[in-house]
Amino acid sequence: MKPDAFTTLYGIIGHPVYHSLSPAMHNAAFDAVGINAVYLAFDVTDLPSAVRGIRALGIKGLSVTIPHKVEILEFLDEVDDVARRIGAVNTLVNRNGSLWGGNTDWIGAVKALEEQTQLEGKRAVVLGAGGSARAVCAGLKERGAFVHLVNRTVENAKKLAERFACSWSGLDEIKDIEGEILVNTTSVGMEPDSHKTPVPSEILERFNIVMDIVYAPLKTKLLDEAEKAGCVTINGLRMLLLQAVSQFEFWTGRKAPINVMEKILYSRFA
Ligand code: ATR
């Protein structure tokens, strides 16, 4: 659909944003559903001015990415409870001039896991204590899973564990840790260090499901070893896709064309 005077505008704000797959995914989704909208990438370094721009231009919705996910909170009229607990917003909806912030990273993580299992009462081990770990922990807790945090720097694990009321330990104790679900939220194994893995392969057979948020490479060393150990594996693109699906649904109130979005995403990693 060609833009005209009725076209509504969506986009992503971040710095840098040139690598983002979101414009291709969301524009294909708008087309597939027949919504007269476009989604653009905005490289933003001056966040306060950008937010004034959103209000002034009536931009309908935005994805928010690094480095603005935390700072954006102070400019919003309303913030979703889970996003506030995570301390980060990745989705903004302009509701007739009132800016609402939510977080679909946790929804993407939970949906990716829920395609394989129900989460209530399950014991999940989360590797890492950064921003992604916060979203994954919040999601697991929302669904009633028991979360055990494991991180290289014990102090960071402790801080996050206290925030989300979960147990914690250092990465050096990983050999003593048991669980049903293992989620890697660290960048270990990401290209160009794809020969690395965050945990020794011997522990993987204890888990039923192993999910990696790293998506380059698509099959990380962790996932390869988990597959060989007989685990169900979930790659990082699944969470990325499902968080985008959730954003689309927040913005449009319509069911996202998941197959169209998935095809775009996977075509970039073929
Ligand atoms: P994000 O916001 O994307 O989650 P981050 O805040 O930089 O990223 O968090 C990175 C996480 O990966 C941290 O938990 C970090 O561990 P530390 O707290 O010890 O720094 C973890 N991490 C990064 N590189 C690592 C490595 N080589 N081995 C183990 N953990 C690593």
Side-chain angles (χ1 to χ4, degrees):
M1 197 178 290
K2 281 235 165 68
D4 59 20
F6 298 98
T7 304
T8 51
L9 182 56
Y10 294 84
I12 179 166
I13 54 171
H15 179 69
V17 281
Y18 62 86
H19 62 282
S20 175
L21 301 169
S22 297
M25 249 194 305
H26 286 297
N27 284 315
F30 287 139
D31 266 357
V33 176
I35 293 175
N36 185 0
V38 293
Y39 181 108
L40 300 176
F42 300 105
D43 195 310
V44 167
T45 49
D46 176 356
L47 188 61
S49 300
V51 175
R52 280 198 295 278
I54 296 161
R55 293 183 192 276
L57 299 176
I59 292 173
K60 288 279 185 214
L62 287 173
S63 309
V64 182
T65 190
I66 291 163
H68 304 311
K69 282 184 175 189
V70 177
E71 197 192 341
I72 189 81
L73 266 89
E74 65 190 82
F75 299 102
L76 303 176
D77 300 304
E78 205 187 332
V79 177
D80 162 80
D81 283 348
V82 186
R84 202 174 279 290
R85 277 201 288 284
I86 295 169
V89 157
N90 81 328
T91 307
L92 194 150
V93 183
N94 186 344
R95 293 176 170 166
N96 301 318
S98 176
L99 300 185
W100 174 91
N103 189 308
T104 63
D105 288 332
W106 76 268
I107 298 174
V110 157
K111 281 190 172 171
L113 287 164
E114 284 178 338
E115 287 178 335
Q116 306 300 335
T117 184
Q118 62 92 23
L119 294 171
E120 192 170 358
K122 294 273 159 61
R123 184 171 157 89
V125 176
V126 175
L127 302 173
S132 309
R134 280 150 82 127
V136 170
C137 273
L140 288 165
K141 294 292 283 191
E142 277 297 299
R143 291 293 189 269
F146 297 105
V147 179
H148 184 84
L149 261 176
V150 178
N151 195 49
R152 177 179 61 181
T153 308
V154 180
E155 262 315 296
N156 295 343
K158 183 167 180 264
K159 242 186 264 168
L160 193 60
E162 280 166 1
R163 185 183 178 108
F164 288 103
C166 40
S167 53
W168 52 274
S169 49
L171 192 54
D172 49 353
E173 295 170 73
I174 190 74
K175 289 208 163 118
D176 306 321
I177 309 293
E178 306 255 340
E180 289 154 291
I181 298 165
L182 178 71
V183 183
N184 174 44
T185 75
T186 77
S187 53
V188 179
M190 192 186 288
E191 282 165 359
D193 290 324
S194 47
H195 58 286
K196 293 190 180 162
T197 177
V199 294
S201 58
E202 308 86 81
I203 71 153
L204 295 173
E205 62 184 20
R206 296 176 202 165
F207 295 91
N208 299 328
I209 297 175
V210 176
M211 178 161 101
D212 202 337
I213 69 154
V214 173
Y215 53 82
L218 209 47
K219 192 194 271 188
T220 56
K221 184 170 182 192
L222 171 67
L223 293 186
D224 187 47
E225 290 180 344
E227 201 177 280
K228 286 175 180 142
C231 311
V232 170
T233 60
I234 306 170
N235 70 42
L237 277 196
R238 202 70 202 157
M239 173 174 163
L240 195 66
L241 171 69
L242 294 172
Q243 72 75 28
V245 159
S246 174
Q247 287 188 319
F248 184 93
E249 292 176 352
F250 271 123
W251 292 328
T252 65
R254 306 269 292 270
K255 198 164 163 35
I258 185 164
N259 294 341
V260 171
M261 297 170 82
E262 182 176 22
K263 209 167 144 192
I264 297 267
L265 203 53
Y266 274 78
S267 68
R268 303 298 171 101
F269 289 88

